[in-house]
């Protein structure tokens, strides 16, 4: 399973880097195909960028920049995405996101 998780992380990193580039179209189709193949294997991933963060959130490992203000913390950078595996119709968390949080 570790090699597949590494593929997910690499695909996510490519997506993240290409979002700032205007010539994403040729590669976007390939990324979509990889995502479809991962879904066929029962895997999906999610970037929690710009989502609200709380200290009791269990799907993220966070480094907090600045002061902890419970209601004002947001995920500003995602280093690794949340990865889920679909088992018998239920999503199981197999990797917590690694994120940077700011208030």
């Amino acid at each position: 399973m570790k090699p597949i998780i590494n593929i997910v992380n690499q695909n996510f990193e490519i997506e993240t880097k290409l979002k700032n580039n205007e010539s994403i179209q040729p590669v976007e189709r390939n990324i979509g195909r990889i995502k479809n193949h991962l879904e066929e294997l029962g895997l999906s991933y999610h970037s929690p960028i710009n989502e609200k963060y709380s200290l009791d959130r269990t799907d993220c490992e966070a480094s907090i920049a600045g002061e902890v203000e419970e209601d004002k913390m947001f995920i500003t950078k995602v280093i690794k995405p949340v990865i889920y595996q679909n088992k018998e119709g239920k999503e199981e968390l197999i990797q917590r996101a690694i994120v940077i949080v700011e208030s």
Side-chain angles (χ1 to χ4, degrees):
M1 182 59 82
K2 183 71 174 165
I4 297 289
I5 291 172
N6 289 337
I7 290 169
V8 172
N9 287 329
Q10 290 302 310
N11 198 53
F12 172 77
E13 192 172 328
I14 291 167
E15 277 182 299
T16 302
K17 288 178 180 178
L18 287 173
K19 283 184 181 173
N20 296 329
N21 190 339
E22 292 179 18
S23 62
I24 187 173
Q25 270 188 334
V27 180
E28 195 172 58
R29 190 175 102 226
N30 299 93
I31 291 171
R33 286 182 178 174
I34 292 170
K35 284 176 115 173
N36 287 338
H37 292 307
L38 291 169
E39 287 174 7
E40 289 173 5
L41 294 171
L43 295 170
S44 62
Y45 62 95
H46 168 70
S47 171
I49 191 79
N50 299 325
E51 290 182 8
K52 209 169 195 180
Y53 181 80
S54 66
L55 296 174
D56 59 348
R57 189 166 176 164
T58 59
D59 63 345
C60 295
E61 256 180 63
S63 292
I64 300 174
E67 299 207 13
V68 175
E69 296 182 50
E70 186 66 29
D71 293 335
K72 298 178 182 177
M73 295 191 301
F74 290 90
I75 297 170
T76 58
K77 183 171 183 179
V78 178
I79 297 161
K80 290 190 179 180
V82 181
I83 303 176
Y84 297 100
Q85 182 170 28
N86 190 340
K87 286 189 177 179
E88 300 172 6
K90 295 181 182 178
E91 280 191 338
E92 180 181 319
L93 179 70
I94 60 172
Q95 175 180 280
R96 293 170 36 178
I98 299 176
V99 299
I100 308 261
V101 173
E102 294 180 41
S103 44

